[in-house]
Amino acid sequence: MKDSSVESKTIKPDGVVEPNKDQKIWLVVLAIPRGKVASYGQVAAMAGLGRQARYIGRALGKLPQGHSVPWYRVICSNGQIAFAPGSERYQEQVSHLQEEGVDVVNGRVSMSRFGLS
DNA sequence: CCATTGACGTCGA
DNA sequence: GTCGACGCCAATG
């Protein structure tokens, strides 16, 4: 089936927007198996966003506290970390990845680590 | 409404 | 392999 982009914005009369898209992205990220990683573009494609890879980062940036979303498993398509080395988020991401068995060298992850199911 | 920016991606030099 | 430029789309000022 082709769910053409028929997604309405799902805006409520109150003016409150329902982050349906963001939620879907989080679900996709949650689907990433442990010890592996996925690129923004890959996640975007799975979420049905197509080329809006940038939206992934935005959605993850909106992540509230208490979430169980392994955002650290999401990296650039070239296998490099999206954040700048030395940044707090960068260090946190690398920490989680290494803990899951992912080798991070020079701010880079082995492309072989790409995979979902 | 226009301009700027951003947790990206792909192509070319 | 590294750098620069353009494209994509949405949020923000």
Side-chain angles (χ1 to χ4, degrees), chain A residues 48-109:
Chain A
L49 296 173
R51 314 176 168 111
Q52 288 189 276
R54 294 193 111 140
Y55 199 90
I56 306 301
R58 204 169 301 132
L60 293 179
K62 287 167 148 189
L63 274 171
Q65 288 189 333
H67 61 42
S68 46
V69 181
W71 57 269
Y72 51 83
R73 284 184 193 150
V74 185
I75 58 180
C76 294
S77 63
N78 64 336
Q80 189 171 349
I81 304 292
F83 291 107
S87 211
E88 291 185 46
R89 280 213 169 90
Y90 169 86
Q91 293 185 30
E92 195 173 327
Q93 184 166 18
V94 174
S95 276
H96 283 292
L97 289 173
Q98 289 186 340
E99 203 171 323
E100 296 206 340
V102 179
D103 276 341
V104 182
V105 181
N106 209 10
R108 267 195 189 143
V109 182

Side-chain angles (χ1 to χ4, degrees), chain A residues 8-20:
Chain A
S8 308
K9 288 201 174 158
T10 325
I11 301 183
K12 286 186 163 183
D14 294 309
V16 182
V17 192
E18 224 171 293
N20 223 345

